Amino acid sequence: MYIPTEDKVLEMTPTDFEKYSLQVLNTQCHGLKNYIIQHNKIIVTSDGKYQIDGYIEFEVMGVKYKTLIECKHYKRRIEREIVQTLYDKLRATGTQKGILISTSNFQTGSIQYATEHGIALIQLTESGNHCVTRSLNMITNRAGITPSNFGSPYVGVLLRSKKQGLITCSYLTF
């Protein structure tokens, strides 16, 4: 099952989608001080150059945290290999966290791999009068339920794999 995405997001160019995704993440950074968000960052390491769609850096207690963001403006489900590529970039660049943002949903294997390796998966979706729940064997669409974050409509679903094949969701607001 495909969770609906707003037409305006689907009609964006891949570059505009990257910028929009970073705007959504920027709204989630409330409370952080001295943070930076960059689009289209090039990171040079001893084994080469890496182009990153988005980059967030912030400092807490004198420790600098770095996050890589990859954005996929796809109509097909995100495969495990795409998540693995992001994980390889994390290791090569010495970055602490990875976030993969997509217009489409994620294959079960990609959700499991991301959960095992600490990568956040976010599907930008359409806020509406529905809620989708999913386990390994089934997907349920519940009409009449509108997920929200403290009264604000959601724009993204953060997916996590749990034991016994369950996938949990958190909702991002804009």
Side-chain angles (χ1 to χ4, degrees):
M1 167 168 270
Y2 183 77
I3 300 173
T5 301
E6 290 187 41
D7 288 341
K8 69 177 184 177
V9 174
L10 292 175
E11 294 167 2
M12 290 178 180
T13 67
T15 300
D16 288 340
F17 176 68
E18 291 167 6
K19 291 176 181 178
Y20 176 72
S21 297
L22 293 178
Q23 286 178 338
V24 170
L25 290 179
N26 189 41
T27 64
Q28 304 300 309
C29 291
H30 51 83
L32 286 180
K33 295 180 180 172
N34 300 324
Y35 74 93
I36 59 167
I37 295 181
Q38 293 177 303
H39 176 250
N40 197 27
K41 182 169 178 74
I42 304 295
I43 299 176
V44 180
T45 67
S46 61
D47 66 347
K49 291 182 181 180
Y50 295 89
Q51 184 278 329
I52 307 299
D53 296 335
Y55 176 82
I56 299 176
E57 185 177 292
F58 61 94
E59 193 172 311
V60 175
M61 299 184 315
V63 177
K64 194 176 285 189
Y65 293 90
K66 301 172 189 174
T67 303
L68 302 183
I69 298 107
E70 285 293 322
C71 302
K72 300 299 178 194
H73 193 263
Y74 288 1
K75 292 184 179 177
R76 69 178 192 276
R77 293 171 50 178
I78 302 298
E79 303 92 9
R80 176 185 168 126
E81 291 77 21
I82 293 172
V83 181
Q84 287 174 305
T85 300
L86 176 56
Y87 183 64
D88 287 341
K89 288 181 181 182
L90 292 175
R91 291 186 299 175
T93 60
T95 305
Q96 290 83 12
K97 188 69 178 172
I99 301 173
L100 198 151
I101 301 176
S102 174
T103 51
S104 64
N105 57 2
F106 297 85
Q107 292 180 352
T108 301
S110 61
I111 295 171
Q112 290 170 340
Y113 186 88
T115 300
E116 290 171 14
H117 294 90
I119 295 172
L121 301 178
I122 299 173
Q123 180 185 1
L124 292 186
T125 63
E126 178 180 3
S127 176
N129 196 25
H130 71 279
C131 176
V132 176
T133 59
R134 176 179 175 177
S135 69
L136 286 178
N137 299 321
M138 65 177 218
I139 298 173
T140 305
N141 191 6
R142 297 182 186 175
I145 299 172
T146 304
S148 65
N149 254 356
F150 307 106
S152 299
Y154 71 96
V155 295
V157 178
L158 177 64
L159 304 170
R160 292 184 191 92
S161 179
K162 295 287 186 185
K163 291 181 181 179
Q164 296 147 355
L166 298 176
I167 296 171
T168 63
C169 301
S170 300
Y171 299 95
L172 306 176
T173 61
F174 190 47

